[in-house]
Amino acid sequence: PDVIIEAQFDDNDAEHGQDHLQDTLADDIKKLSLDTSEKGEAEEDDGPKANDKDKVLQRTAKVVYILEKKHSRAATGFIKLLADKNSELFRRCAMFSPVDHRVPRAYVSLADCPPDFVTRPEDYSSMLFICRIVDWKEDSNFATGQLAKSLGQAGEIEPETEGILTEYGVDFSDFSPEALECLPQSLPWVISPGELAKRRDLR
C-alpha cells in the first residue's frame, strides 16, 4: 500500500486495451513486492551486486578550471557584524549579505567599512553597498570580498538602479568629451533641407 507505481501509457498500450495496462501494472507491483524471506536475504547480503553498481554510485565531478567568468563578481547588499564576537575574525572582518541569493555571502575587511560601523552597526542596517568578490578559498564557507562604495538607503530609486547596473557590468559613467564632440554643437539642431530631400519622411 505504500508503493506508488507510475506507469507510462502511450499509443501502443491503447491498441492492446485496458486489460494490457492492468497486467503491466500487476507485473510491476510483483517485481517490487518483497516477502519476509526476501527481506531477510536482503539484510544478510554483503552489499549491492556488481551489475547494480551504477544504481548506487553517486556521480561526482570537480571543477578544474574556469574558462570564462560570466558574472561581474559585483553584488549589491548589506553589511553586518559577525555573530561570534570572541573570534579573531570578528576584529578583522564583517559579513556582506547580497540581495541576490544566488551570490555567496562574503567576508569584507573592516577597513573598507565606514569608520563608525563597529560602534553603530544599526545605522547601516538598511544601507546598500557594492561588494566585489575577489577570492574564495577552498577551506572557507564564505567568499572574500572588497567593498567598492556605498550606494545609499535601500528602497530608493537611485541607489537601487546604480546597484543593478553595476551588478550586470553596465557602464553608466558620463560620456567623454570626445564622444560629446561628435554631436551637433549648434543648438537647436535641425535637419538640413538637403538631408530631408534624400530621406523618406515618416513623421
Side-chain angles (χ1 to χ4, degrees):
D2 57 347
V3 176
I4 299 175
I5 305 298
E6 186 174 301
Q8 183 175 359
F9 187 75
D10 54 19
D11 294 334
N12 294 330
D13 295 328
E15 294 176 359
H16 293 82
Q18 185 69 19
D19 293 339
H20 173 70
L21 178 60
Q22 290 178 352
D23 294 338
T24 303
L25 290 175
D27 292 338
D28 291 340
I29 293 174
K30 289 178 181 178
K31 293 176 183 178
L32 290 175
S33 300
L34 292 174
D35 57 17
T36 308
S37 60
E38 290 175 337
K39 287 182 179 178
E41 292 173 2
E43 291 174 358
E44 294 173 2
D45 194 4
D46 294 333
K49 297 180 180 179
N51 55 2
D52 295 336
K53 196 189 314 182
D54 293 337
K55 297 180 181 179
V56 297
L57 289 181
Q58 175 68 43
R59 297 181 181 271
T60 58
K62 181 180 180 181
V63 177
V64 295
Y65 189 75
I66 298 176
L67 292 176
E68 183 181 357
K69 294 181 179 180
K70 292 291 188 180
H71 196 269
S72 64
R73 297 300 189 270
T76 306
F78 305 93
I79 57 174
K80 56 185 178 181
L81 294 175
L82 299 180
D84 188 2
K85 297 182 179 181
N86 298 322
S87 66
E88 177 65 24
L89 204 59
F90 179 85
R91 292 185 283 272
R92 296 187 293 106
C93 298
M95 178 63 71
F96 173 80
S97 297
V99 176
D100 188 350
H101 297 293
R102 296 171 299 178
V103 181
R105 288 181 290 175
Y107 290 128
V108 293
S109 174
L110 286 177
D112 296 339
C113 300
D116 58 342
F117 169 68
V118 177
T119 57
R120 301 174 61 87
E122 63 278 358
D123 293 350
Y124 300 94
S125 58
S126 60
M127 185 80 68
L128 280 175
F129 289 86
I130 287 286
C131 177
R132 197 170 295 274
I133 296 175
V134 295
D135 191 18
W136 195 347
K137 297 180 180 179
E138 294 182 2
D139 58 348
S140 176
N141 292 329
F142 304 104
T144 302
Q146 185 175 6
L147 287 183
K149 62 183 298 186
S150 171
L151 296 178
Q153 290 293 324
E156 297 182 1
I157 294 180
E158 289 296 331
E160 297 278 0
T161 303
E162 185 176 347
I164 294 173
L165 294 175
T166 304
E167 286 182 15
Y168 285 92
V170 179
D171 183 8
F172 55 93
S173 58
D174 295 336
F175 288 106
S176 63
E178 292 78 11
L180 295 176
E181 288 176 1
C182 298
L183 299 175
Q185 303 301 319
S186 57
L187 300 177
W189 177 78
V190 293
I191 303 175
S192 63
E195 188 67 28
L196 277 176
K198 296 186 296 180
R199 294 176 178 265
R200 181 181 175 186
D201 194 349
L202 298 175
R203 290 174 296 177

